[in-house]
């Protein structure tokens, strides 16, 4: 009998050999510290695209030109020295201070190099809220971008299926996480209820969602036919 | 029940040696008694209250004592809808449809502050009380109600069931939502029911 293979903490295909060993950060300063090496790499690769870089609580925020986001993200994902293979969040920030522009935030993680990078793009006041979609790089961006669109009204150019995801599709009171959105909504309660009850709860699955869930076979035939014809909402 | 006049003059003899057993009662009483003691719940658990509902159903509190151990996950075999948790507006048509799919006789328990009034969620997304969507028989207050609270609500519902009379024409009436708006109570009443109260009166509204 051969001896059992010795335990290897680094699984093939996960952390790169030159990646730093995982550590528990201690006494992390609020501002300043060593930035993530990818920040300098982006600045070198995309001259003029980086607006500024800051390190907050040990995490690196890179403010980039919103038009270049897709190129940067694609490079970060593909380049063998970066390999950001995991997009953990896409979200947005609106500040109560009306002078401050809205920000769209991408949280990227490189599992091989054990790096975390936060990309931010500022949306200037008075311009349409639009940024490129990173859906073509990370399929996981699909629902994250839909949520961001639903809550903030930011359009992700290039997203194949940009619909509301948390609110129902016919919801037209606005985008609830915006600062100008009243907490209780714009309409009276009766009107909100009327609109909600008018929505068809079975009709808001797209073909893609049904394929993902492999539920297509299980739905009634007329619905299969309607969806196969490309109908999205049935309403 | 009143189908036949009471046969006043019937003389029944009972021979103890025959070992026959029989019982005489009111049909109302018998039917209500059996209904009240085998209410099949349809658990509609949407949030934290559902955890407390599960605790009520589990061995320590044991809903089986009330004949309710059989959770009916199909509304078509359910007698009582227990709405445990907050209901967002997106779920309102689902709750309405589940209620309409339940056959008569049926009852509804609204469990917890959120289901009964929207609770602390006086915001754009949450229905301010499920009684604006479906009729409710028993409201159980609490956030969440303790299992004893829910059981007290269930016992109140059993009381209510036991007091029903078959001749009462107001029972077993399906709600008829207004065909254009889908609401079954007038919009003014809904607005009045959903008026902010308590702390949420002072809730700041974004004024940017
Ligand atoms: S009443 Fe309290 S426990 Fe129940 S759903 Fe609402 S917040 Fe959760």
């Amino acid at each position: 009998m051969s001896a059992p293979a010795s335990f290897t903490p680094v699984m093939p295909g996960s952390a790169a050999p030159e990646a730093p060993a995982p550590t528990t950060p201690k006494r992390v300063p609020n501002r300043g510290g060593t930035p993530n090496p990818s920040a300098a790499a982006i600045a070198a690769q995309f001259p003029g695209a980086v607006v500024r870089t800051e390190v907050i609580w040990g995490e690196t925020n890179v403010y980039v030109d919103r038009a270049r986001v897709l190129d940067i993200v694609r490079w970060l994902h593909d380049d063998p020295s970066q390999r950001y293979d995991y997009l953990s969040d896409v979200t947005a920030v609106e500040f109560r201070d009306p002078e401050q522009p809205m920000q769209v935030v991408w949280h990227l993680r490189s599992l091989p190099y054990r790096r975390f990078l936060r990309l931010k793009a500022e949306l200037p006041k008075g311009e349409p809220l639009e940024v490129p979609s990173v859906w073509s790089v990370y399929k996981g961006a699909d629902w994250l971008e839909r949520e961001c669109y639903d809550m903030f009204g930011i359009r992700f150019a290039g997203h194949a299926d940009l619909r509301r995801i948390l609110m129902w599709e016919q919801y037209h009171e606005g985008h609830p996480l915006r600062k100008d959105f009243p907490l209780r909504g714009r309409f009276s309660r009766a009107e909100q209820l009327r609109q909600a009850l008018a929505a068809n709860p079975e009709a808001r699955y797209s073909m893609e969602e049904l394929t993902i869930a492999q539920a297509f076979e299980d739905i009634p035939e007329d619905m299969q036919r309607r969806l196969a014809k490309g109908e999205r909402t049935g309403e | 029940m009143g189908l036949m006049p009471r046969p006043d003059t019937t003389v029944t003899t009972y021979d103890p040696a025959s070992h026959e057993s029989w019982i005489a009662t009111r049909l109302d009483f018998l039917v209500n008694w059996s209904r009240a003691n085998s209410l099949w719940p349809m658990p509609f658990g949407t949030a934290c209250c559902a955890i407390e509902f599960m605790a009520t159903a589990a061995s320590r509190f044991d809903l089986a004592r009330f004949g309710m151990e059989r959770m009916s996950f199909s509304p078509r075999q359910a007698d009582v809808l227990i709405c445990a948790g907050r209901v967002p507006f997106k779920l309102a048509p689902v709750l309405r449809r589940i209620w309409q799919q339940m056959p008569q006789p049926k009852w509804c328990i609204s469990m917890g502050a959120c289901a009964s009034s929207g609770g602390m969620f006086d915001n754009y997304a949450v229905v301010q009380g499920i009684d604006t969507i479906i009729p409710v028989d028993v409201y159980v207050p609490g956030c969440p109600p303790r299992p004893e609270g829910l059981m007290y609500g269930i016992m109140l519902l059993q009381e209510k069931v036991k007091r029903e009379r078959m001749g009462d024409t107001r029972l077993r009436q399906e709600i008829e939502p207004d065909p254009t708006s889908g609401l079954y109570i007038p919009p003014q009443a809904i607005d009045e029911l959903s008026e902010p109260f308590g702390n949420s009166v002072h809730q700041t509204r974004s004024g940017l």
Side-chain angles (χ1 to χ4, degrees):
Chain A
M1 256 176 73
S2 60
S6 64
F7 173 70
T8 40
V10 178
M11 301 300 288
S14 82
E18 66 273 29
T23 54
T24 305
K26 291 202 183 101
R27 291 192 206 89
V28 183
N30 176 2
R31 302 258 159 177
T34 338
N36 181 332
S38 303
I42 297 172
Q45 182 77 16
F46 298 91
V50 175
V51 181
R52 65 179 191 276
T53 300
E54 61 194 16
V55 183
I56 293 187
W57 293 119
E59 294 173 349
T60 311
N61 297 345
V62 182
Y63 289 78
V64 296
D65 178 7
R66 62 177 168 144
R68 314 279 297 272
V69 167
L70 180 57
D71 298 337
I72 294 173
V73 167
R74 191 186 297 284
W75 179 76
L76 286 172
H77 176 264
D78 294 342
D79 193 86
S81 68
Q82 306 299 328
R83 288 173 62 193
Y84 281 84
D85 46 11
Y86 177 44
L87 173 78
S88 58
D89 204 2
V90 177
T91 183
V93 189
E94 183 178 11
F95 295 89
R96 194 168 264 287
D97 172 8
E99 301 298 314
Q100 288 226 49
M102 273 176 81
Q103 297 174 351
V104 187
V105 188
W106 291 264
H107 288 187
L108 297 167
R109 196 171 276 283
S110 165
L111 299 181
Y113 292 103
R114 298 203 174 98
R115 286 181 195 161
F116 175 76
L117 185 70
R118 194 180 285 115
L119 283 187
K120 291 192 175 192
E122 289 182 331
L123 303 173
K125 290 272 154 194
E127 284 185 32
L129 302 174
E130 188 166 309
V131 289
S133 164
V134 298
W135 179 81
S136 52
V137 184
Y138 301 102
K139 290 290 173 281
D142 185 352
W143 285 8
L144 300 174
E145 289 178 353
R146 273 177 66 186
E147 181 181 346
C148 197
Y149 162 70
D150 188 359
M151 291 291 127
F152 290 94
I154 292 162
R155 304 204 71 86
F156 289 84
H159 190 290
D161 185 26
L162 198 64
R163 291 176 293 139
R164 285 189 183 272
I165 186 168
L166 295 177
M167 310 310 288
W168 59 101
E169 284 177 40
Q170 296 76 28
Y171 185 77
H172 56 266
E173 284 184 59
H175 300 282
L177 289 193
R178 294 283 292 277
K179 287 283 181 256
D180 59 0
F181 188 91
L183 182 56
R184 298 191 183 101
R186 296 187 201 280
F187 304 153
S188 75
R189 289 301 190 186
E191 176 62 13
Q192 286 173 341
L193 199 62
R194 188 190 70 70
Q195 296 194 359
L197 285 172
N200 178 357
E202 280 173 13
R204 42 174 106 98
Y205 301 103
S206 74
M207 200 59 190
E208 291 85 343
E209 280 160 344
L210 288 167
T211 331
I212 291 167
Q214 297 187 326
F216 189 66
E217 305 296 309
D218 300 337
I219 60 176
E221 255 182 39
D222 64 315
M223 217 169 133
Q224 288 186 7
R225 251 181 281 119
R226 276 173 24 212
L227 284 165
K229 273 191 279 173
E231 188 174 336
R232 270 293 157 68
T233 66
E235 285 162 57
Chain B
M1 187 165 169
L3 290 183
M4 279 184 277
R6 181 189 289 245
D8 283 338
T9 52
T10 313
V11 179
T12 317
T13 52
Y14 173 59
D15 174 11
S18 71
H19 294 290
E20 280 172 3
S21 20
W22 55 275
I23 189 169
T25 181
R26 280 197 348 257
L27 191 56
D28 254 359
F29 171 80
L30 189 67
V31 168
N32 289 344
W33 173 79
S34 51
R35 273 181 184 162
N37 289 298
S38 73
L39 291 167
W40 283 3
M42 157 88 214
F44 191 80
T46 51
C48 9
C49 272
I51 303 292
E52 214 68 359
F53 173 74
M54 287 180 238
T56 317
S59 50
R60 182 177 173 119
F61 296 97
D62 197 11
L63 269 190
R65 292 180 292 155
F66 304 92
M68 295 178 86
E69 71 274 25
R70 196 274 191 188
M71 296 293 151
S72 183
F73 290 101
S74 155
R76 294 179 200 280
Q77 278 93 39
D79 299 310
V80 45
L81 178 83
I82 300 187
C83 181
R86 63 195 85 100
V87 177
F89 279 114
K90 197 172 173 181
L91 211 52
V94 179
L95 181 59
R96 165 68 68 74
R97 185 173 302 186
I98 285 178
W99 176 253
Q100 287 175 334
Q101 282 174 342
M102 286 170 60
Q104 294 282 9
K106 60 187 175 184
W107 299 272
C108 174
I109 296 181
S110 157
M111 177 180 178
C114 290
S116 308
S117 72
M120 61 176 136
F121 301 98
D122 188 11
N123 61 22
Y124 65 94
V126 175
V127 173
Q128 301 299 298
I130 60 166
D131 45 7
T132 53
I133 312 170
I134 57 176
V136 173
D137 291 289
V138 177
Y139 301 84
V140 183
C143 177
R146 280 192 55 88
E148 293 93 329
L150 179 61
M151 287 190 305
Y152 182 60
I154 288 168
M155 281 154 67
L156 286 182
L157 182 65
Q158 287 184 331
E159 285 293 302
K160 183 171 178 176
V161 172
K162 283 179 186 161
R163 283 197 208 147
E164 288 184 352
R165 290 286 169 268
M166 287 183 180
D168 189 345
T169 49
R170 290 166 310 159
L171 295 174
R172 315 280 166 262
Q173 278 180 2
E174 275 295 334
I175 55 166
E176 296 290 347
D178 183 70
T180 49
S181 68
L183 307 173
Y184 85 102
I185 46 180
Q188 305 86 320
I190 292 181
D191 285 339
E192 200 178 325
L193 281 176
S194 337
E195 272 290 301
F197 61 95
N199 273 344
S200 69
V201 174
H202 307 294
Q203 202 164 252
T204 49
R205 309 189 68 160
S206 300
L208 287 186

